[in-house]
Amino acid sequence: MPNIKCTVTECAYNSNVMCDAPMIQVNHSQSEQSSTSEETQCDTFKPKS
Ligand code: SF4
Protein backbone atom coordinates (compact mmCIF):
# COMPACT_ATOMS: atom_id res chain seq x y z
CA MET A 1 0.00 0.00 0.00
CA PRO A 2 1.47 3.41 -0.91
CA ASN A 3 2.04 5.91 1.85
CA ILE A 4 -1.15 7.80 2.65
CA LYS A 5 -0.83 10.91 4.74
CA CYS A 6 -3.97 11.54 6.78
CA THR A 7 -4.57 14.25 9.36
CA VAL A 8 -7.61 12.49 10.86
CA THR A 9 -5.72 11.45 13.97
CA GLU A 10 -8.94 10.45 15.74
CA CYS A 11 -9.18 7.45 13.39
CA ALA A 12 -8.13 4.08 14.81
CA TYR A 13 -6.00 3.42 11.69
CA ASN A 14 -4.02 6.65 12.04
CA SER A 15 -0.43 6.38 13.12
CA ASN A 16 1.75 9.50 13.22
CA VAL A 17 -0.45 11.36 10.72
CA MET A 18 -0.21 8.40 8.30
CA CYS A 19 -2.81 5.77 7.42
CA ASP A 20 -1.94 2.28 8.68
CA ALA A 21 -4.96 0.43 7.25
CA PRO A 22 -4.24 -2.45 4.79
CA MET A 23 -6.63 -0.81 2.32
CA ILE A 24 -8.98 2.14 2.31
CA GLN A 25 -12.18 2.92 0.47
CA VAL A 26 -12.95 6.46 -0.59
CA ASN A 27 -16.40 7.41 -1.77
CA HIS A 28 -18.37 10.45 -2.83
CA SER A 29 -19.45 12.40 0.21
CA GLN A 30 -22.47 14.12 -1.28
CA SER A 31 -23.82 13.39 -4.75
CA GLU A 32 -22.98 10.66 -7.26
CA GLN A 33 -20.22 12.75 -8.77
CA SER A 34 -17.46 14.70 -7.08
CA SER A 35 -15.69 17.67 -8.59
CA THR A 36 -13.61 18.76 -5.61
CA SER A 37 -11.66 16.87 -2.97
CA GLU A 38 -14.04 18.24 -0.35
CA GLU A 39 -16.75 16.09 -1.99
CA THR A 40 -14.90 12.85 -1.22
CA GLN A 41 -14.51 11.01 2.07
CA CYS A 42 -12.75 8.03 3.57
CA ASP A 43 -15.29 5.30 4.35
CA THR A 44 -12.69 3.16 6.13
CA PHE A 45 -12.57 5.65 9.02
CA LYS A 46 -13.09 3.94 12.36
CA PRO A 47 -13.24 5.91 15.60
CA LYS A 48 -10.67 5.11 18.24
CA SER A 49 -12.30 3.14 21.04
S1 SF4 B 1 -8.72 4.87 7.39
FE1 SF4 B 1 -9.13 6.82 6.35
S2 SF4 B 1 -9.50 8.29 8.00
FE2 SF4 B 1 -8.49 6.50 8.90
S3 SF4 B 1 -6.28 6.98 8.89
FE3 SF4 B 1 -6.76 5.86 7.00
S4 SF4 B 1 -7.16 7.43 5.45
FE4 SF4 B 1 -7.32 8.40 7.49
Side-chain angles (χ1 to χ4, degrees):
M1 170 115 155
N3 288 344
I4 296 176
K5 187 174 179 184
C6 176
T7 59
V8 186
T9 52
E10 58 273 41
C11 176
Y13 293 114
N14 201 287
S15 173
N16 275 335
V17 200
M18 299 290 290
C19 180
D20 240 3
M23 62 86 72
I24 62 168
Q25 178 162 350
V26 180
N27 284 339
H28 307 284
S29 61
Q30 290 160 21
S31 60
E32 292 289 298
Q33 265 201 314
S34 301
S35 51
T36 67
S37 57
E38 285 78 11
E39 293 171 24
T40 67
Q41 67 181 9
C42 176
D43 273 9
T44 308
F45 171 82
K46 188 171 82 172
K48 280 182 180 159
S49 52

